[in-house]
């Protein structure tokens, strides 16, 4: 995956890392292999010259190709495994036709040409992933940028995923906080995020990616907006191109100068200079081209080294190698159960279509199963333990078990004894949010199922609706979440309903509540009786959006613990921000859900793969 050149927005280069572990009935080693700039010094000594010559020829024929090759590398990375180059096969639909790439990413023919030349010199030696990485460096250098040393030794992926590309590339509508969070999730600092955004020093973008900005936003230079409107009206001309900065064929700091002048083409670009924490860095680069060029080169080395496939991380057929630590991976079932994700998604969509409330139920079932995400909540009681189903927070409340049973039956029919109930729960939660309007995330897979469950643990570990702000902060902190992440994950109450017993005290006794709102609820939830009567958690209980936060600002939080997030405390500002910015909330929620799903899962030989989610094998 990559950055922008001829279209699309820079955040599109976020793509999930392709797993470097393959489990085909063998033990596989996770010994770390190191990349090296001299990897081909003996096996293919002329590879760098060959690539450089081909890149220079391509740019000489079409200067725009430099930006296209840089973007192709960005859209292939984090992982930098050449998965973006794979055509579709009978076993997978690749990334070329994914939304961020279709009719947008280009330069494949140049890479094909380079690969043919390299194969003529050094057959079956140099990976396509390394060719992409070097071609990106040479493209930047050819257009005036500072070259960097490319670490070599990557291997090429054996699969690709259109679904991953579609669901994991953040949009150009991200705010500054969303950008910071997205980069931080991949190990980049805020400064590195601003640096890598400078790839928009070259290239162009399609009208569809900047139409809303030039027609609706106010933090934009008026003559600049007027100029762009000529070729990008309010409708039509979707594929018309405009340069990302004033010197689209020269790699320099003009991009930052444009931001200071409010001439950023994309919303996400101008967010870097919009009265926020990155204004000073943008100003510094706008006045110092040499420093920008040096910093960009350093950041590109880091990006190219993010979890590449290497010799020891690939599948070694016929070899016995040990695993030092089992890792979750989005492609865990790519070979063992390739139709898993569509099977779960179809079942979830069908369940939500039959009962829209089920989306919230499946999300809540996943929440109540985590921290650990081991499907312990699905276990019926046995003679040796009393499980979680009858715990206080779950009894007569948590539901959706029958939907999970149905999905498990379908999955067992196509991949017997392969997919855990814990993974089904995690994917079903993601698909539920997406079905109701939320932003999907890539679910890391490979969890194993617990062999026991504890009613006591469920009673003591699930935060109560009566908690104050300090209690909520402490409860989430214990599990490794920040206060910001606690506020984000509380947004799961954007969908669903709650029983009268959970909000009776609030509507009858508390004062920080909108009076008409409280009155409207008292009819179905009097001071006694009607314990199981339901009320929506926000005003749009079957749409996953930021209405939950808007309700809190209006003192219409249904639960005490919800309204505590906006009650003159430290989280008021974040609630206000999300109430005004749905896209940022949706992005931040997706990121937080990835973290939650990865908290101490059972992996490797721990636990088991249940064939029936309700009981042990």
């Amino acid at each position: 995956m990559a950055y922008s050149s001829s279209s699309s927005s820079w955040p599109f280069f976020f793509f999930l890392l392709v797993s470097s572990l393959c489990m085909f009935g063998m033990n596989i080693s996770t010994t770390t292999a190191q990349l090296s700039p001299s990897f081909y010094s003996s096996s293919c000594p002329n590879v760098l010259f060959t690539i450089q010559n081909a890149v220079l020829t391509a740019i000489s024929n079409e200067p725009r190709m430099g930006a296209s090759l840089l973007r192709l590398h960005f859209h292939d990375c984090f992982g930098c495994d050449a998965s973006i180059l794979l055509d579709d096969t009978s076993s997978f639909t690749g990334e070329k036709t994914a939304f961020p790439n279709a009719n947008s990413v280009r330069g494949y023919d140049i890479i094909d040409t380079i690969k043919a030349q390299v194969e003529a010199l050094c057959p079956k030696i140099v990976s396509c992933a390394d060719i992409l990485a070097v071609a990106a460096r040479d493209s930047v250098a050819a257009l005036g940028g500072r070259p960097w040393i490319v670490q070599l030794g990557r291997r090429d992926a054996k699969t690709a995923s259109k679904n991953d590309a579609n669901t994991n590339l953040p949009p150009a509508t991200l705010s500054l906080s969303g950008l910071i969070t997205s980069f931080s999730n991949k190990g980049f600092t805020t400064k590195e995020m601003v640096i890598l955004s400078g790839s928009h020093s070259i290239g162009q973008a399609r009208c569809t990616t900047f139409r809303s900005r030039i027609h609706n936003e106010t933090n934009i230079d008026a003559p600049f907006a007027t100029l762009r409107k000529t070729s990008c009206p309010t409708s039509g001309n979707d594929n018309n191109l405009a340069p990302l900065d004033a010197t689209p064929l020269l790699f320099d700091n003009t991009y930052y100068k444009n931001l200071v002048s409010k001439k950023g083409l994309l919303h996400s670009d101008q967010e870097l200079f919009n009265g926020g924490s990155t204004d000073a860095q943008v100003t510094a680069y706008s006045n110092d081209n040499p420093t920008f060029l040096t910093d960009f080169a350093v950041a590109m080395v880091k990006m190219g080294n993010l979890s590449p496939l290497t010799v020891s991380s690939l599948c070694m057929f016929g070899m016995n190698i040990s695993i030092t630590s089992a890792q979750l991976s989005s492609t865990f079932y790519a070979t063992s159960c390739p139709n898993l994700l569509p099977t779960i998604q179809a079942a979830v969509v069908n369940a939500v279509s039959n009962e829209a409330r089920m989306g919230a139920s499946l999300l809540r079932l996943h929440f109540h199963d985590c921290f650990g995400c081991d499907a312990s909540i699905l276990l019926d009681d046995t003679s040796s333990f009393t499980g979680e189903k009858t715990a206080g927070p779950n009894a007569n409340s948590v539901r959706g078990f029958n939907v999970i049973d149905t999905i498990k039956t379908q999955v067992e029919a196509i991949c017997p004894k392969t997919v855990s109930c814990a993974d089904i729960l995690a994917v079903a939660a993601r698909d539920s949010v997406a079905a109701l309007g939320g932003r999907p995330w890539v679910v890391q897979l490979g969890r194993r199922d617990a062999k026991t469950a504890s009613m006591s643990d469920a009673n003591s570990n699930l935060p109560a609706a009566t908690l104050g702000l300090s209690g909520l902060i402490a409860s989430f902190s214990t599990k490794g979440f920040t206060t910001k992440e606690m506020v984000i994950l509380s947004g799961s109450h954007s969908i669903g309903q709650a029983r009268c017993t959970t909000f009776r005290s609030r509507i009858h006794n508390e004062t920080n509540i909108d009076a008409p709102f409280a009155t409207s609820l008292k009819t179905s939830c009097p001071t006694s009786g009607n314990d199981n009567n339901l009320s929506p958690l926000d005003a749009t209980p079957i749409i996953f959006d930021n209405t939950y936060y808007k309700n809190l600002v209006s003192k219409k939080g249904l639960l005490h613990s919800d309204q505590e997030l906006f009650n003159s405390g430290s989280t008021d500002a974040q609630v206000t921000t999300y109430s005004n910015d749905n896209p940022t909330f949706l992005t931040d929620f997706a990121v937080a859900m990835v973290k939650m799903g990865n908290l101490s899962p059972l992996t490797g030989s721990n636990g088991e793969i249940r064939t029936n989610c309700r009981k042990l094998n």
Side-chain angles (χ1 to χ4, degrees):
M1 305 184 279
Y3 231 30
S4 174
S5 71
S6 59
S7 67
S8 200
S9 66
W10 75 263
F12 279 38
F13 72 82
F14 286 104
F15 195 36
L16 207 66
L17 305 179
V18 178
S19 172
S20 61
L21 295 177
C22 305
M23 308 230 177
F24 294 117
M26 301 171 298
N27 294 321
I28 301 173
S29 174
T30 58
T31 304
T32 303
Q34 298 297 320
L35 300 181
S36 165
S38 59
F39 188 85
Y40 300 111
S41 60
S42 297
S43 59
C44 196
N46 291 321
V47 64
L48 296 182
F49 170 80
T50 302
I51 296 173
Q52 183 184 47
N53 189 57
V55 168
L56 291 175
T57 299
I59 293 175
S60 177
N61 292 332
E62 183 192 5
R64 176 187 168 203
M65 186 54 67
S68 297
L69 292 174
L70 176 60
R71 183 168 183 251
L72 192 57
H73 177 53
F74 266 94
H75 274 231
D76 184 52
C77 288
F78 305 107
C80 303
D81 57 9
S83 56
I84 195 172
L85 303 178
L86 288 171
D87 291 334
D88 296 348
T89 71
S90 58
S91 60
F92 65 79
T93 301
E95 302 165 27
K96 289 185 176 180
T97 56
F99 174 75
N101 299 331
N103 302 314
S104 173
V105 171
R106 56 197 294 273
Y108 298 110
D109 56 330
I110 304 301
I111 299 301
D112 289 342
T113 297
I114 297 174
K115 180 62 174 173
Q117 294 175 359
V118 170
E119 281 297 300
L121 288 174
C122 318
K124 301 180 181 180
I125 297 293
V126 181
S127 69
C128 298
D130 278 343
I131 290 174
L132 269 180
V134 175
R137 185 271 309 274
D138 291 344
S139 294
V140 170
L143 296 176
R146 185 158 294 162
W148 56 90
I149 295 176
V150 177
Q151 301 292 308
L152 301 168
R154 299 167 185 80
R155 302 272 287 186
D156 297 325
K158 293 186 175 182
T159 188
S161 171
K162 178 180 179 178
N163 182 63
D164 283 353
N166 276 328
T167 58
N168 292 289
L169 298 173
T173 55
L174 280 181
S175 66
L176 179 60
S177 63
L179 296 173
I180 292 172
T181 299
S182 295
F183 274 85
S184 176
N185 192 50
K186 299 301 181 183
F188 289 109
T189 65
T190 299
K191 179 178 180 180
E192 289 168 333
M193 178 271 290
V194 176
I195 294 167
L196 289 172
S197 297
S199 64
H200 279 183
S201 167
I202 52 176
Q204 303 179 72
R206 291 190 300 156
C207 168
T208 53
T209 63
F210 60 84
R211 173 180 282 128
S212 179
R213 170 155 167 73
I214 64 174
H215 287 281
N216 302 318
E217 295 184 12
T218 57
N219 62 336
I220 188 169
D221 177 78
F224 173 75
T226 299
L227 174 64
R228 293 289 165 252
K229 290 175 184 177
T230 303
S231 60
C232 185
T234 54
S235 62
N237 297 340
D238 288 358
N239 292 322
N240 280 2
L241 299 173
L244 286 161
D245 79 0
T247 57
L249 301 178
L250 179 63
F251 197 91
D252 63 6
N253 66 335
T254 300
Y255 166 77
Y256 299 102
K257 293 179 180 179
N258 287 174
L259 298 186
V260 173
S261 301
K262 297 185 179 180
K263 295 179 182 178
L265 185 64
L266 305 180
H267 172 84
S268 53
D269 285 336
Q270 196 59 58
E271 279 291 285
L272 303 183
F273 190 86
N274 193 31
S277 61
T278 57
D279 282 15
Q281 189 181 348
V282 169
T283 300
Y285 284 145
S286 72
N287 294 317
D288 191 345
N289 188 51
T291 297
F292 160 60
L293 296 180
T294 297
D295 289 353
F296 185 82
V298 172
M300 285 298 294
V301 172
K302 178 175 179 177
M303 192 193 77
N305 294 351
L306 288 182
S307 301
L309 295 177
T310 55
V311 172
S312 66
S313 64
L314 290 176
C315 302
M316 303 294 186
F317 294 97
M319 298 178 66
N320 289 320
I321 317 169
S322 64
I323 292 182
T324 55
S325 63
Q327 298 294 324
L328 300 183
S329 162
S330 63
T331 58
F332 188 84
Y333 300 110
T335 300
S336 60
C337 195
N339 292 319
L340 171 65
L341 297 183
T343 300
I344 297 176
Q345 183 182 44
V348 169
V349 170
N350 183 61
V352 173
S353 177
N354 291 332
E355 182 193 5
R357 177 188 168 202
M358 185 54 68
S361 298
L362 292 174
L363 176 60
R364 184 163 184 250
L365 193 57
H366 177 52
F367 260 86
H368 279 228
D369 182 53
C370 289
F371 308 105
C373 303
D374 56 5
S376 56
I377 195 172
L378 303 179
L379 287 171
D380 291 336
D381 295 348
T382 71
S383 58
S384 60
F385 65 77
T386 301
E388 301 168 27
K389 290 183 177 180
T390 55
N394 299 331
N396 301 313
S397 173
V398 172
R399 57 197 294 272
F401 297 107
N402 58 327
V403 175
I404 299 300
D405 289 340
T406 298
I407 296 173
K408 181 62 174 174
T409 298
Q410 294 174 358
V411 170
E412 284 295 309
I414 59 173
C415 314
K417 302 178 181 179
T418 299
V419 181
S420 69
C421 299
D423 277 342
I424 290 174
L425 264 182
V427 175
R430 185 272 307 276
D431 290 345
S432 294
V433 170
L436 296 177
R439 185 161 292 157
W441 57 92
V442 172
V443 177
Q444 300 293 296
L445 301 167
R447 298 168 187 80
R448 305 267 291 180
D449 298 324
K451 292 185 176 181
T452 189
S454 171
M455 177 180 177
S456 175
D457 284 350
N459 278 325
S460 60
N461 289 322
L462 292 172
T466 55
L467 284 180
L469 180 59
S470 61
L472 292 170
I473 292 172
S475 179
F476 276 78
S477 176
T478 299
K479 300 301 181 181
F481 289 109
T482 65
T483 299
K484 179 179 180 180
E485 289 166 335
M486 179 271 290
V487 175
I488 294 168
L489 290 172
S490 297
S492 63
H493 283 183
S494 166
I495 51 176
Q497 303 181 71
R499 292 189 302 151
C500 168
T501 53
T502 63
F503 60 85
R504 173 181 283 125
S505 178
R506 170 156 168 73
I507 64 173
H508 287 282
N509 302 319
E510 297 184 9
T511 58
N512 63 336
I513 188 170
D514 178 78
F517 173 69
T519 299
S520 70
L521 295 170
K522 290 176 182 177
T523 302
S524 61
C525 186
T527 54
S528 63
N530 296 343
D531 287 357
N532 293 323
N533 280 2
L534 299 173
S535 288
L537 285 162
D538 78 356
T540 58
I542 57 173
I543 300 176
F544 197 92
D545 61 8
N546 65 336
T547 300
Y548 167 76
Y549 298 102
K550 293 179 180 179
N551 286 175
L552 298 187
V553 172
S554 301
K555 297 185 179 181
K556 295 179 181 178
L558 184 65
L559 305 179
H560 172 83
S561 55
D562 286 337
Q563 194 60 57
E564 280 291 289
L565 302 184
F566 190 87
N567 193 31
S568 300
S570 61
T571 56
D572 281 15
Q574 188 180 349
V575 169
T576 300
T577 296
Y578 286 146
S579 73
N580 293 317
D581 192 344
N582 189 51
T584 296
F585 160 59
L586 296 181
T587 297
D588 288 355
F589 185 83
V591 172
M593 285 298 294
V594 172
K595 178 175 178 177
M596 190 190 77
N598 293 353
L599 288 183
S600 302
L602 297 175
T603 57
S605 60
N606 295 315
E608 64 180 10
I609 303 296
R610 290 183 220 142
T611 56
N612 182 331
C613 292
R614 292 176 178 264
K615 60 183 183 180
L616 304 180
N617 292 338

